Amino acid sequence: MNSATQLLDATLVIGGAPILWREIIGNVFGLASAYGGMKRVVWAWPIGIVGNLLLLTVFLGGVFNTPQNLDLYGQAGRQVMFMIVSAYGWYQWSAARHRGLRECQDTDPSRSIVSTPAEDSVAVQPRWARPRERVGMVTFLIVGTLVFAGVFTALGSWGPWADAWIFTGSILATYGMARGWTEFWLIWIGVDIVGVPLLLAGGFYPSAVLYIVYAFFVLWGFGVWLRVQRRGAGVAMASATS
């Protein structure tokens, strides 16, 4: 138990500021999950869940006695949400990938989820959300931010409005990734714009730095999904006219 506690509380001091190793490691796992999502491989989801578990302990600073000693209930709550939605995304992508493997005679069905799939057995085909789905997204962002801001204020969260926006946007972006909506990358940009100032002010420096890295990564991922989407549309049009 003592060894586990020491591992949980291990810190790295940078510029006189103590930083938890589990915050650094949790964010590295999160970045690996984002990369897997861009590549549309199933292992993105379980890798992300491990990172979420670590970061959950970081943002409940009052409970786990972190150096910041701040409770960001939105940031902590979104880790729980990530794990729930990731389980859904893991199931969705696994099912889609297995269907693709069964339909492709040239693909080895013994391929594991930790190996890069063949080009024709990726887990999801990117697409734009339909107009009705976009209306639902905007409505959820507005209503969710208002509702969660009230909840986080009542709980005593530090920075409840920013926390609520990040939490709501994270739910929507993760769900959009599971559904294959290309817009989910743009939602992450909105989350990052609010998240970086909040985390810097709270002293969560590794997480703030990773948010900045995410911003560039998200733009890259958006471009990748957009090219795949256009290529898929071109193939479908060619098949329809042949």
Side-chain angles (χ1 to χ4, degrees):
M1 186 67 178
N2 186 47
S3 298
T5 302
Q6 289 179 348
L7 183 62
L8 194 66
D9 294 335
T11 58
L12 175 69
V13 178
I14 300 178
I19 297 171
L20 289 167
W21 270 107
R22 67 178 185 267
E23 182 180 358
I24 298 172
I25 296 170
N27 279 302
V28 169
F29 272 80
L31 185 60
S33 177
Y35 177 77
M38 182 191 70
K39 300 296 288 185
R40 297 175 293 144
V41 289
V42 181
W43 58 253
W45 299 105
I47 287 291
I49 289 173
V50 175
N52 299 146
L53 284 170
L54 291 171
L55 292 176
L56 175 63
T57 68
V58 172
F59 293 119
L60 290 178
V63 177
F64 290 93
N65 298 315
T66 65
Q68 297 87 358
N69 199 33
L70 295 174
D71 288 320
L72 287 175
Y73 289 107
Q75 292 285 336
R78 82 180 195 137
Q79 305 308 318
V80 177
M81 175 276 300
F82 280 152
M83 287 186 279
I84 295 171
V85 180
S86 291
Y88 168 75
W90 192 354
Y91 170 78
Q92 286 285 95
W93 284 28
S94 295
R97 182 174 175 275
H98 289 150
R99 284 196 300 271
L101 288 171
R102 287 195 300 269
E103 293 167 3
C104 181
Q105 298 297 322
D106 299 327
T107 303
D108 180 7
S110 65
R111 206 183 267 271
S112 73
I113 65 169
V114 296
S115 60
T116 304
E119 186 67 24
D120 51 10
S121 63
V122 290
V124 68
Q125 175 60 42
R127 67 174 176 86
W128 292 117
R130 300 181 182 90
R132 184 176 178 179
E133 292 169 335
R134 289 181 179 177
V135 171
M137 283 192 283
V138 173
T139 302
F140 182 79
L141 277 172
I142 295 172
V143 175
T145 300
L146 292 172
V147 170
F148 288 120
V151 172
F152 297 154
T153 299
L155 290 172
S157 183
W158 189 78
W161 281 95
D163 221 7
W165 170 263
I166 294 168
F167 182 67
T168 305
S170 298
I171 294 174
L172 190 56
T174 309
Y175 178 75
M177 176 178 166
R179 293 297 303 272
W181 296 339
T182 304
E183 288 94 338
F184 92 88
W185 294 104
L186 302 180
I187 298 171
W188 278 129
I189 290 291
V191 170
D192 289 344
I193 289 172
V194 176
V196 171
L198 176 71
L199 294 171
L200 285 175
F204 297 95
Y205 301 117
S207 297
V209 169
L210 192 69
Y211 267 48
I212 296 172
V213 173
Y214 271 147
F216 292 100
F217 185 86
V218 162
L219 291 174
W220 179 30
F222 176 67
V224 170
W225 273 46
L226 199 57
R227 287 194 297 272
V228 172
Q229 179 178 322
R230 288 171 176 168
R231 186 166 63 243
V235 171
M237 184 175 296
S239 298
T241 57
S242 61

